[in-house]
Amino acid sequence: MSESQVHKFGGSSLESYEGFYRVAKIILGSSSKKDLIIVSAAGKTTDHLYELFSKVNIESEWNDVLHKIQFFQEQLVEQLVSSENVEFQLNLLIRDVEFIRSSILFGNINKYQMNHILGFGELWSARLLSQLLTELGARAQYLDARDVLIATDDVLPIIYDEISSYKLSIIRQNLGEQHLVITGYICANDKGDTLLLGRNGSDYSATVIASLAKVNFVTIWTDVNGLYTADPKIVKNTKLIDGISFSEADRLAKLGCSLLHHRSLKPIFKSKINLAVRSSYKPDERFTVISQHEDVNNKPVVTFLDSVYLIELKVSSVRFLMKELHEAEVSPLTYRVSGDRLFISYNRDQYFKVKEFFPFLKGKFGVEFINVDLSHGLVALVSRNVTLYKKWFINEFSCRENTIYCDEISLTLTMPKSKVFSFVKKIHDYCVASLEESGVH
């Protein structure tokens, strides 16, 4: 296991020139030259690049969006790069923008060309941050992840570990000890075409690269201090979680916690790599560490999904069906059996994945699709001490319109959408009161 670490900086950390300076200060002050830096696109750059394609049929509109993108990036360059280097950096940016413009004007953009354009935000961030670090006196180099991460050409690409690990090790050896700033979100197929790593792809880039480089720690730098007992934007009196196990974090990721993502945790789940979530705005404050230890957290966490797909199926064997769903990695968030009917819930991404699986289930198990209900949301309580709350949970929320599901580390409740936020607050208030009574801070 290498002593180096991976630091990933999201778009919210890089949304302004002040943000770039904060990030540079963190890198120079708390990372070694052997550490790897992964960056997202600055601010809302990727959203605006997607917006380009939504307006591609109206030239005046997509030109306005492209101008907005260019203006934002030019401002960053002019505010961050020294006078002797600014012209060179601006010319690189103008070249990229003209490539985007000519590609749209030419028309008939295939998926690889679209991916290439959507990946410019990360390239601009990596190029600019490495230039800033250099001007601050550090040795730094940016790396296009497409030169390292080779993947299957699927909707959600899977990285080829052996060849990607080899490419990364060769580049690190050749560059020696300097800060290596790597683009998140993008990779390539074996022909060199650009592939995208999907929603929250830069987090996935960070954990994949951490696994390939065999580092011992990953830090996801964002705009919040870490994981709280509930979403602070919705609930008052939340408490920061100092440490939490991977099993709890993974369950939270599947149940809607916006800070955590199941796919991003997978590359390091079975390794000895720990992961921290920290604020780039307040780097000296407490933060959350996700670790292999199962006994690091005494605080329950409340999470939610404001909308779920509640699917009704007619089945003959629930046990065999659930086993098949688990093996296909499409286990439902909750399930309830009533006679020959099975009610299972999924988030949006999971639903479209399992929907493709229905024809196979019908052929093998005779599963009959009855209905999908979009009027429900989900609230969950995740804790390794979940049994302490089970009796209260059931007494408080058992009724016909709610479905309660319990596993080893979570209590999950589906209910009408209109009740989601009030239930989040109610569950959290009870849990916080329990914590205070037991002396946990």
Side-chain angles (χ1 to χ4, degrees), residues 352-414:
F352 286 105
K353 186 176 180 181
V354 79
K355 187 178 179 182
E356 297 176 356
F357 202 48
F358 282 154
F360 169 78
L361 296 176
K362 183 176 182 180
K364 185 171 182 178
F365 298 103
V367 173
E368 184 179 347
F369 176 83
I370 303 298
N371 184 42
V372 58
D373 182 354
L374 298 176
S375 66
H376 284 67
L378 175 150
V379 178
L381 173 66
V382 177
S383 170
R384 64 185 180 87
N385 298 317
V386 72
T387 53
L388 297 177
Y389 308 95
K390 186 175 180 179
K391 183 178 179 180
W392 173 83
F393 206 90
I394 292 173
N395 289 340
E396 196 69 32
F397 299 111
S398 289
C399 69
R400 185 176 179 180
E401 64 181 3
N402 301 334
T403 297
I404 297 175
Y405 171 78
C406 180
D407 60 24
E408 294 176 350
I409 58 171
S410 66
L411 286 160
T412 309
L413 174 70
T414 57

Side-chain angles (χ1 to χ4, degrees), residues 84-142:
E84 59 264 34
N85 294 312
V86 69
E87 183 178 357
F88 176 74
Q89 291 294 328
L90 285 174
N91 285 338
L92 290 177
L93 174 64
I94 292 169
R95 180 198 64 186
D96 295 338
V97 170
E98 288 308 309
F99 172 85
I100 295 171
R101 179 175 283 109
S102 61
S103 297
I104 295 175
L105 286 171
F106 185 75
N108 297 318
I109 297 174
N110 64 36
K111 71 170 185 176
Y112 301 117
Q113 292 167 326
M114 182 175 178
N115 290 345
H116 184 79
I117 291 171
L118 293 172
F120 267 120
E122 282 69 24
L123 184 64
W124 293 332
S125 290
R127 201 161 64 197
L128 189 52
L129 181 57
S130 64
Q131 179 65 38
L132 176 60
L133 290 170
T134 300
E135 296 195 1
L136 292 174
R139 294 187 65 214
Q141 177 69 45
Y142 81 89

Side-chain angles (χ1 to χ4, degrees), residues 169-413:
S169 66
I170 293 299
I171 287 174
R172 295 184 77 189
Q173 288 173 21
N174 290 340
L175 290 176
E177 289 195 5
Q178 58 179 307
H179 298 286
L180 191 57
V181 185
I182 308 174
T183 56
Y185 187 52
I186 56 177
C187 59
N189 62 19
D190 55 10
K191 296 179 181 177
D193 299 313
T194 301
L195 304 176
L196 304 180
L197 291 171
R199 179 173 170 262
N200 305 112
S202 291
D203 284 3
Y204 182 62
S205 298
T207 55
V208 163
I209 288 171
S211 177
L212 296 176
K214 296 181 172 59
V215 306
N216 57 18
F217 209 91
V218 177
T219 301
I220 304 295
W221 294 90
T222 182
D223 56 357
V224 295
N225 284 18
L227 180 65
Y228 286 80
T229 48
D231 187 342
K233 296 175 182 176
I234 296 173
V235 181
K236 297 178 180 179
N237 303 320
T238 56
K239 295 179 181 294
L240 182 71
I241 304 292
D242 293 306
I244 192 169
S245 68
F246 266 107
S247 57
E248 290 171 289
D250 190 53
R251 188 65 180 148
L252 282 166
K254 293 174 181 175
L255 290 169
C257 178
S258 60
L259 273 181
L260 305 171
H261 311 284
H262 170 65
R263 190 162 181 256
S264 300
L265 293 174
K266 283 181 71 175
I268 57 177
F269 192 78
K270 295 181 179 179
S271 70
K272 295 182 179 180
I273 302 172
N274 293 329
L275 184 146
V277 180
R278 301 181 65 173
S279 171
S280 62
Y281 291 81
K282 300 174 182 179
D284 297 325
E285 294 192 2
R286 290 166 53 206
F287 54 92
T288 301
V289 175
I290 302 170
S291 74
Q292 309 295 329
H293 303 292
E294 291 295 325
D295 58 350
V296 293
N297 178 40
N298 291 318
K299 299 173 185 174
V301 184
V302 183
T303 188
F304 71 94
L305 289 166
D306 53 17
S307 180
V308 293
Y309 289 72
L310 192 59
I311 305 167
E312 180 182 353
L313 303 173
K314 184 176 181 180
V315 299
S316 56
S317 174
V318 172
R319 183 166 64 90
F320 287 114
L321 174 61
M322 295 301 291
K323 182 175 182 293
E324 197 73 36
L325 292 173
H326 176 74
E327 291 177 352
E329 296 189 346
V330 285
S331 294
L333 300 174
T334 66
Y335 73 89
R336 176 172 65 88
V337 181
S338 178
D340 64 350
R341 301 300 169 93
L342 174 66
F343 298 84
I344 54 179
S345 64
Y346 290 95
N347 64 31
R348 184 180 183 277
D349 292 341
Q350 292 171 321
Y351 170 72
F352 286 105
K353 186 176 180 181
V354 79
K355 187 178 179 182
E356 297 176 356
F357 202 48
F358 282 154
F360 169 78
L361 296 176
K362 183 176 182 180
K364 185 171 182 178
F365 298 103
V367 173
E368 184 179 347
F369 176 83
I370 303 298
N371 184 42
V372 58
D373 182 354
L374 298 176
S375 66
H376 284 67
L378 175 150
V379 178
L381 173 66
V382 177
S383 170
R384 64 185 180 87
N385 298 317
V386 72
T387 53
L388 297 177
Y389 308 95
K390 186 175 180 179
K391 183 178 179 180
W392 173 83
F393 206 90
I394 292 173
N395 289 340
E396 196 69 32
F397 299 111
S398 289
C399 69
R400 185 176 179 180
E401 64 181 3
N402 301 334
T403 297
I404 297 175
Y405 171 78
C406 180
D407 60 24
E408 294 176 350
I409 58 171
S410 66
L411 286 160
T412 309
L413 174 70

Side-chain angles (χ1 to χ4, degrees), residues 38-158:
I38 316 299
V39 291
S40 298
K44 300 294 184 182
T45 298
T46 301
D47 290 342
H48 293 150
L49 288 168
Y50 270 104
E51 187 182 357
L52 271 178
F53 290 102
S54 71
K55 298 180 176 180
V56 72
N57 293 322
I58 306 175
E59 185 173 343
S60 61
E61 291 191 8
W62 67 253
N63 249 321
D64 287 344
V65 176
L66 187 57
H67 175 73
K68 178 170 60 177
I69 294 169
Q70 182 176 353
F71 180 72
F72 173 67
Q73 295 294 329
E74 284 178 344
Q75 278 192 313
L76 289 176
V77 172
E78 290 168 354
Q79 291 167 328
L80 292 168
V81 180
S82 63
S83 57
E84 59 264 34
N85 294 312
V86 69
E87 183 178 357
F88 176 74
Q89 291 294 328
L90 285 174
N91 285 338
L92 290 177
L93 174 64
I94 292 169
R95 180 198 64 186
D96 295 338
V97 170
E98 288 308 309
F99 172 85
I100 295 171
R101 179 175 283 109
S102 61
S103 297
I104 295 175
L105 286 171
F106 185 75
N108 297 318
I109 297 174
N110 64 36
K111 71 170 185 176
Y112 301 117
Q113 292 167 326
M114 182 175 178
N115 290 345
H116 184 79
I117 291 171
L118 293 172
F120 267 120
E122 282 69 24
L123 184 64
W124 293 332
S125 290
R127 201 161 64 197
L128 189 52
L129 181 57
S130 64
Q131 179 65 38
L132 176 60
L133 290 170
T134 300
E135 296 195 1
L136 292 174
R139 294 187 65 214
Q141 177 69 45
Y142 81 89
L143 173 64
D144 189 329
R146 289 169 290 198
D147 295 332
V148 174
L149 298 181
I150 311 303
T152 60
D153 200 340
D154 299 320
V155 175
L156 286 178
I158 299 172

